Amino acid sequence: MRVDDADGVRTVTFDRPEAKNAFTADVARELSAALEELTPEAFDAAVITGDGDAFSAGGDIQAMAERDETAREAYERVRGTLGRVAEAILTAPVPVVARVNGDAVGAGTSVVAACDFAYATRDARFGASFVNVGLVPDAGATVTLPRLVGLRAAKELVFTGKLISAERAAELDLVNEAVAAADLDATVDETVETLAAQPTETLALAKEAIHANLGRSWADGLEREAHAQTLAYDTDAHEEGVSAFLEKRRPQFD
């Protein structure tokens, strides 16, 4: 993870381009820590982006294949890493903007869904592809996706695991806008400048109120999500999904 601070903006960059910026537990902890340090006194906004040609390909499948843990350990890891990422974004006291420079899949889509604003290149693809490796969405997606894109579209994304274009993501409100790659920096910069001109503490209060008034608390949703993911980790479907990915074949789910 790379963290850069300039002019009241913290930019956090996934810096594993050789792995399409796939998530590991360490990446999740570093992202969370960088966002948890934000205060409205020191920062106006934060930007999350990726190095290379991908935003994030989601969970590191190789790491999944090597994982050996009890159900309790799985729960604590999911809630303490990916759940912590979602909580850090959703409760950050400044607006968080996703600069989606390429594909955002799995936990990558989850991060985008949690952010306050998101802008993507037109060639970026999105997908809640957890089902392809026998898992349920994490990093907050079971909480955020239905509220962003609607229940029916969220189920379509989650149940099919299919990829959608940036234009379709914009239609669904998963991103604010899909733009030409050459215009991405300017679009994000313009939004950040607009946000920086607003009273940061007021934005923090507004963000907190908007989230609180959505109904079920984020904490309750993340607890339920972590429990579901813990159960999914122990299924044959997850084992088959990981094996198929590593063997470069289509998974054969019962």
Side-chain angles (χ1 to χ4, degrees):
M1 219 67 212
R2 191 168 69 246
V3 179
D4 300 290
D5 296 335
D7 300 323
V9 178
R10 168 158 288 185
T11 301
V12 187
T13 305
F14 298 118
D15 62 352
R16 301 180 69 218
E18 73 287 351
K20 299 293 184 183
N21 297 320
F23 262 85
T24 64
D26 286 342
V27 167
R29 293 186 190 99
E30 290 171 13
L31 174 58
S32 301
L35 297 173
E36 289 164 355
E37 293 173 353
L38 298 169
T39 65
E41 293 78 21
F43 295 96
D44 297 310
V47 175
I48 302 174
T49 191
D51 190 12
D53 60 1
F55 180 78
S56 175
D60 190 312
I61 307 298
Q62 185 65 54
M64 291 182 192
E66 298 170 355
R67 192 172 292 144
D68 182 17
E69 57 191 1
T70 66
R72 183 62 192 177
E73 289 169 340
Y75 169 81
E76 291 176 349
R77 177 181 51 75
V78 173
R79 187 64 180 91
T81 56
L82 295 164
R84 182 182 168 194
V85 165
E87 198 160 16
I89 297 171
L90 294 166
T91 62
V94 301
V96 182
V97 181
R99 176 191 177 278
V100 188
N101 56 300
D103 289 356
V105 182
T109 285
S110 301
V111 167
V112 173
C115 288
D116 302 300
F117 295 82
Y119 299 94
T121 60
R122 292 197 183 106
D123 61 353
R125 297 175 300 172
F126 299 81
S129 56
F130 302 86
V131 71
N132 296 337
V133 290
L135 293 176
V136 300
D138 54 27
T142 61
V143 180
T144 57
L145 271 181
R147 292 169 174 175
L148 273 178
V149 307
L151 184 60
R152 196 171 300 280
K155 287 180 178 178
E156 181 180 0
L157 290 171
V158 171
F159 293 178
T160 68
K162 71 179 184 180
L163 297 179
I164 61 172
S165 68
E167 285 84 357
R168 179 59 176 154
E171 291 173 359
L172 291 174
D173 287 336
L174 180 57
V175 299
N176 294 78
E177 188 177 359
V179 301
D183 297 331
L184 183 61
D185 284 344
T187 301
V188 172
D189 289 346
E190 181 179 357
T191 296
V192 169
E193 288 172 6
T194 299
L195 295 170
Q198 309 302 329
T200 307
E201 292 187 3
T202 302
L203 296 186
L205 291 172
K207 177 176 175 177
E208 181 180 12
I210 288 170
H211 287 176
N213 287 331
L214 285 173
R216 181 186 292 274
S217 72
W218 296 113
D220 288 345
L222 293 172
E223 289 291 329
R224 181 176 295 273
E225 177 183 282
H227 279 295
Q229 189 69 302
T230 300
L231 295 174
Y233 273 126
D234 197 34
T235 62
D236 292 338
H238 174 48
E239 183 177 352
E240 165 62 10
V242 170
S243 296
F245 182 94
L246 295 176
E247 295 166 9
K248 301 185 186 307
R249 60 176 175 81
R250 292 181 63 85
Q252 299 296 315
F253 297 128
D254 293 334

